[in-house]
Amino acid sequence: MKAVLWYFIALFFARRGPAYFRGFLRLLSVKVVSRAISNFQIGSVEVSIGKSEVEYISRLAMIDVADDEVEQVSAKLSKVLDLFAQMEAVNTDGVEPMAHPHEVAQRLRADEITETDQHEKLQSVAPATAQDMYLVPQVIE
Amino acid sequence: MSWEVVIGLEIHAQLTTKSKIFSGASIAYGAAPNSQACAVDLGMPGMLPVVNHAVIGKGIALGLALNAELGKKQVFDRKNYFYPDLPKGYQTTQMDYPIVGKGYLDIEIDGETKRIGVTRAHLEEDAGKSNHGIVPGMTGIDLNRAGTPLLEIVSEPDLSSAQEAVAYARKMHELVTFLGICDGNMQEGSFRVDSNVSVRRPGEPLGTRAELKNINSFRFIEKAIEFEIERQIDLIESGGKVVQETRLYDSETNTTRSMRTKEEANDYRYFPCPDLLPVRITDEDIEAVRATMPELPGAKRARYVAELGLSEYDAGVLTSSRAMAEYFEALLEHTGGKDAKVCANWITSDLAGALNKAGLDIADSPISEQMLAGMINRIQDDTISGKIAKQVFDAMWKGEGSADEIIEAKGLKQITDTGAIEAMVDEVLANNPSQVEAYKGGQEKMMGYFVGQVMKASGGQANPGQVNKLLKEKLSS
């Protein structure tokens, strides 16, 4: 799942030109890459994702993957991890991991109440509500 | 063979801000469901969180109070998991770069000081609340609490008994309330303590821990940990194994029981939140916070004992909350700072007793610092005796006005006119010839009887010092 997210982030930055993509590469610390890879207990060269990993990831992501899709999905995810394996070869010694491609700090907001009660509007798109609460299938405690 | 107990605490302190950590919605407790959950809190598409300035300041204050390293650069991460009360599908928290790094807190246990390590403290958002039984088969979700700012304070596993764990939790509670960064209300969930408990044979590696959650009083935390220690020892000694799990404490039966064991270890897939930039704090930011920090309870306590001559006990009571200490200091100031002991006594005995009986906090005391000072000033200038003062105190408590008004209205002014007191002394001695004989025959404790009689005759208003003096003169002549 982490890989999928990184995949989308990578796509996002790659499409915005080389400067952004360099930022993204810096963002990938050795730690992040090794964590992503160790999640799937795979070596740094050969990367593959089997059926059980797909099931595990889909359960974590709460996305149903039909049996006949598993093969396709595992191939796609493996490709993403191949990319990570490739990037792991980049020497990042002494490079401080970035938390964000922009080298700027967060601007802070004053501690003031600026929002008003809009629950009626917000709940107008909810599938089910009662007593101003959102209703979901019973959560067993 | 003996057992060693290892406990670490995770404390969630809700920060006393007006608005949420990432949105301008109110965090006031008890509002109508979802009336304080805005589009940002709900994780609506296109919403951008912005960090609340106040949470950073409050985190810095705790870091300074714990003598901790401060995170000059902080990064917010997403902790991913699915639960209906978490609308975004992730909790925004600080994983690798928290606001507060390694620090410590000293606790007193059996008269000795023990230093407890604080691993870290990080900022994060709270989740919403699930409500059951509104509609059969459904769960109602109130997201007012979603996005409420929390500081999660993680201790080192340095605590080795239930008593130590509670002493640490109390000390941390005292600290955050003193700093004013958390209101400390455990019933409303503003201060939540999770305990990680394990046991081992001395010298062996750490045992498997169980986590005790959602216990909302210090007394129950202590009992729950005590029970859990016993349970784990019994389990291991009878050949069993401790399972890593979350256990719930039942105060009715004083036992802990397993919450569902998770099928697999949580995989939260942390990664930096792309919606938030790193937060950077400067030395100026830190100094600005330091300048607004109150004197901390430990330092205050030491000063009360060393400079004001109070007992350890009184100093402890007076620094048990910031409101209490502020009351005491204001009282001392309004009475000219002459007699700290007298001020301390009135607060720790009469006022604390009355407040306790009425279930009031000192901040809501019907007798203000100025009113109590007005009364103490009348004791010190001999207008009333300490005994009469108790009547004045009761009348002030009932809202009958200031000390001066009450003394005037009830005619409680102390009799200091020597002639008037002398007349009463003479009368008492004349009416009690046999007691006088007994006194002169060596029964000196009769003195107390005479003083009592004169005070009674004066309606309690005679100056006791003068009464004693006159009685002694008359009886020895």
Side-chain angles (χ1 to χ4, degrees), chain A residues 108, chain B residues 53-74 98-101 179 279-294:
Chain A
L108 304 177
Chain B
H53 181 265
V55 305
I56 303 296
K58 289 174 199 291
I60 292 173
L62 180 76
L64 290 172
L66 295 175
N67 300 296
E69 299 160 16
L70 287 168
K72 293 280 184 73
K73 172 187 153 189
Q74 300 155 39
I99 187 162
V100 176
L179 289 169
V279 173
R280 289 181 193 275
I281 54 172
T282 63
D283 290 337
E284 289 79 61
D285 295 332
I286 295 168
E287 289 318 309
V289 172
R290 197 195 302 275
T292 61
M293 276 171 62

Side-chain angles (χ1 to χ4, degrees), chain B residues 30-337:
Chain B
N34 291 303
S35 62
Q36 295 175 169
C38 71
V40 175
D41 309 328
L42 264 52
M44 286 290 186
M47 294 299 116
L48 195 66
V50 186
V51 181
N52 183 342
H53 181 265
V55 305
I56 303 296
K58 289 174 199 291
I60 292 173
L62 180 76
L64 290 172
L66 295 175
N67 300 296
E69 299 160 16
L70 287 168
K72 293 280 184 73
K73 172 187 153 189
Q74 300 155 39
V75 177
F76 283 98
D77 299 279
R78 293 184 177 183
K79 177 182 179 179
N80 299 277
Y81 66 95
F82 286 103
Y83 205 73
D85 62 15
L86 188 76
K88 295 187 294 189
Y90 57 85
Q91 180 193 31
T92 308
T93 179
Q94 297 177 327
M95 174 71 176
D96 292 325
Y97 298 93
I99 187 162
V100 176
K102 272 196 183 307
Y104 63 83
L105 187 65
D106 289 337
I107 61 169
E108 271 80 49
I109 199 88
D110 298 330
E112 280 182 34
T113 301
K114 180 170 177 183
R115 179 156 294 182
I116 308 301
V118 171
T119 315
R120 57 183 282 155
H122 56 263
L123 293 167
E124 62 184 27
E125 60 182 340
D126 208 344
K129 261 184 187 161
S130 304
N131 293 272
H132 306 282
I134 295 168
V135 175
M138 305 286 269
T139 295
I141 307 290
D142 174 6
L143 294 170
N144 279 349
R145 204 178 61 183
T148 295
L150 303 176
L151 247 183
E152 179 176 338
I153 309 159
V154 184
S155 86
E156 292 285 314
D158 289 348
L159 302 155
S160 44
S161 69
Q163 291 72 22
E164 284 187 19
V166 170
Y168 168 85
R170 281 186 187 277
K171 195 79 187 281
M172 193 62 81
H173 184 268
E174 176 189 271
L175 188 64
V176 295
T177 53
F178 234 91
L179 289 169
I181 64 173
C182 172
D183 70 17
N185 189 323
M186 296 178 83
Q187 296 306 316
E188 291 177 7
S190 304
F191 188 87
R192 312 199 277 268
V193 181
D194 299 342
S195 319
N196 287 302
V197 181
S198 67
V199 297
R200 65 170 167 193
R201 299 288 193 188
E204 286 189 1
L206 287 176
T208 308
R209 65 191 157 87
E211 188 174 15
L212 304 174
K213 276 192 154 167
N214 299 332
I215 309 172
N216 62 5
S217 85
F218 292 119
R219 198 163 61 91
F220 287 147
I221 290 166
E222 185 163 345
K223 287 188 162 192
I225 294 175
E226 275 168 0
F227 174 85
E228 183 58 22
I229 292 167
E230 284 301 308
R231 186 190 72 88
Q232 291 187 11
I233 292 174
D234 288 350
L235 188 64
I236 299 170
E237 287 186 343
S238 61
K241 252 186 153 177
V242 177
V243 192
Q244 186 169 340
E245 60 181 356
T246 301
R247 296 183 68 86
L248 289 179
Y249 175 70
D250 184 346
S251 60
E252 303 263 308
T253 58
N254 189 32
T255 54
T256 65
R257 66 184 155 83
S258 179
M259 250 170 94
R260 76 211 122 103
T261 344
K262 283 160 198 142
E263 289 160 31
E264 53 208 337
N266 283 323
D267 185 345
Y268 293 124
R269 296 149 289 142
Y270 287 94
F271 68 90
C273 180
D275 283 346
L276 291 159
L277 292 158
V279 173
R280 289 181 193 275
I281 54 172
T282 63
D283 290 337
E284 289 79 61
D285 295 332
I286 295 168
E287 289 318 309
V289 172
R290 197 195 302 275
T292 61
M293 276 171 62
E295 183 183 26
L296 295 176
K300 236 184 223 313
R301 208 151 30 232
R303 181 168 65 84
Y304 286 179
V305 173
E307 290 178 20
L308 301 177
L310 298 184
S311 67
E312 290 279 353
Y313 173 80
D314 282 351
V317 174
L318 294 173
T319 54
S320 62
S321 76
R322 187 165 166 180
M324 185 72 110
E326 281 171 355
Y327 191 103
F328 169 68
E329 287 177 17
L331 183 62
L332 197 58
E333 193 190 320
H334 290 304
T335 53

Side-chain angles (χ1 to χ4, degrees), chain B residues 383-446:
Chain B
T383 306
I384 54 173
S385 66
K387 203 166 174 192
I388 290 289
K390 297 208 188 271
Q391 277 184 49
V392 176
F393 182 91
D394 290 341
M396 289 200 297
W397 182 268
K398 288 179 196 141
E400 293 173 23
S402 72
D404 284 336
E405 285 162 1
I406 292 162
I407 293 166
E408 184 64 39
K410 299 198 168 193
L412 297 174
K413 205 168 178 310
Q414 187 161 245
I415 301 165
T416 49
D417 171 1
T418 314
I421 296 173
E422 194 172 359
M424 286 185 273
V425 167
D426 287 342
E427 197 185 332
V428 166
L429 294 181
N431 290 342
N432 296 284
S434 58
Q435 282 85 349
V436 173
E437 277 311 307
Y439 179 86
K440 288 186 171 166
Q443 289 193 39
E444 293 199 359
K445 63 176 193 258
M446 274 297 156

Side-chain angles (χ1 to χ4, degrees), chain A residues 19-139:
Chain A
Y20 277 88
F21 194 65
R22 267 202 302 279
F24 171 62
L25 283 180
R26 285 187 58 196
L27 179 61
L28 292 166
S29 65
V30 175
K31 192 172 165 196
V32 167
V33 176
S34 59
R35 217 195 264 169
I37 292 175
S38 67
N39 273 353
F40 300 99
Q41 287 139 15
I42 41 186
S44 56
V45 188
E46 271 305 301
V47 164
S48 72
I49 286 190
K51 188 167 187 282
S52 63
E53 282 84 7
V54 171
E55 280 168 356
Y56 175 62
I57 295 164
S58 64
R59 198 161 55 244
L60 281 177
M62 293 218 172
I63 293 170
D64 264 335
V65 178
D67 283 348
D68 58 357
E69 290 174 325
V70 170
E71 206 176 317
Q72 203 191 349
V73 171
S74 74
K76 280 185 180 170
L77 288 176
S78 297
K79 254 187 167 170
V80 175
L81 284 195
D82 285 344
L83 177 65
F84 275 80
Q86 223 175 314
M87 286 189 290
E88 204 190 19
V90 178
N91 185 353
T92 53
D93 288 353
V95 179
E96 200 198 332
M98 292 176 77
H100 202 281
H102 292 300
E103 278 290 356
V104 280
Q106 172 78 35
R107 264 184 60 190
L108 304 177
R109 174 177 60 79
D111 181 24
E112 279 160 13
I113 297 164
T114 52
E115 295 287 346
T116 52
D117 178 7
Q118 298 198 66
H119 77 276
E120 281 177 19
K121 219 181 220 171
L122 292 164
Q123 292 187 349
S124 65
V125 294
T129 61
Q131 298 174 30
D132 296 333
M133 291 191 213
Y134 297 90
L135 289 182
V136 297
Q138 180 139 17
V139 183

